[in-house]
Amino acid sequence: GIGTVAEYHFNKSMDVDPNDPLHYFTEFDYNGQTGKKIAIGAQMEIEDMREFVVAKGIRCDLNLRKATDPEPIYLAEQDLCRELGVEFAGIPMISFGLPKPSTLRDLIARFKAGPYPMILHCHAGADRSGLASVVFRLVIEGDALDRALAAELTWRKGHFRLGRAGLVDEFFELYRRTGAGLVFERWALEIYPGLYRERKARESGDD
């Protein structure tokens, strides 16, 4: 499965103890519920990514890291995807903060469009990847919110509800408070943009 191979690559690229509970890289298949497989985790070294992508037939690389003034590894990853014929999709997300409505829109559209199997990552694979994995569960797999949160936003995957990283959790609590029974996708596309603008306006007024 993707999980076993990817755990090896994650450990190799991030130089972590394989017995450390923070090492991870998961395969989302949910017993074939949708058949859309997505591996979510941290940045791998390029040669490790090459081996993983080829071995698992990855068709799309979804990178959540910043695209402005990109690091060399970002550019190398784009080159690798061109070489292997893999679709590269860059959807930059901020590390600590509520996601922009446009980012959510693009993320949902990519999850719905594929192609699969897909690999998704940020830098450490904890907060941005955690938020994206919950969105995947809600939109694609139809999971309940509590189940998705318990599975993905956990210390076992490097996420801690402390400081600015807690804004990831706050985002989903905002959905819980204001969703009014709407499915997540509709709330994210129709209701959240207004809430985001209100939040930013209040923050600007506090300056």
Side-chain angles (χ1 to χ4, degrees), residues 69-197:
D69 190 23
E71 296 180 7
I73 196 168
Y74 189 99
L75 300 176
E77 191 172 315
Q78 288 180 314
D79 291 341
L80 176 66
C81 287
R82 280 192 290 268
E83 175 189 338
L84 299 179
V86 171
E87 188 168 338
F88 180 89
I91 301 180
M93 298 179 66
I94 57 176
S95 299
F96 304 109
L98 296 178
K100 295 180 179 179
S102 58
T103 300
L104 273 182
R105 182 186 65 242
D106 292 345
L107 189 63
I108 290 171
R110 174 56 62 177
F111 284 150
K112 296 179 77 171
Y116 293 89
M118 180 186 295
I119 185 170
L120 178 154
H121 71 88
C122 55
H123 174 65
D127 303 317
R128 287 172 288 185
S129 292
L131 187 150
S133 62
V134 173
V135 171
F136 178 84
R137 282 179 173 263
L138 295 175
V139 173
I140 301 301
E141 296 296 334
D143 273 358
L145 179 60
D146 286 338
R147 178 181 175 182
L149 292 174
E152 307 306 332
L153 292 183
T154 167
W155 66 269
R156 293 179 178 85
K157 294 187 175 181
H159 174 74
F160 296 88
R161 193 169 182 167
L162 299 171
R164 297 176 66 188
L167 288 173
V168 174
D169 305 85
E170 182 180 333
F171 168 70
F172 290 109
E173 291 305 315
L174 183 63
Y175 168 53
R176 192 192 302 276
R177 295 196 308 271
T178 63
L182 294 177
V183 296
F184 176 80
E185 180 179 355
R186 184 176 175 188
W187 175 83
L189 298 180
E190 298 179 8
I191 306 301
Y192 178 66
L195 298 174
Y196 181 84
R197 287 192 298 270

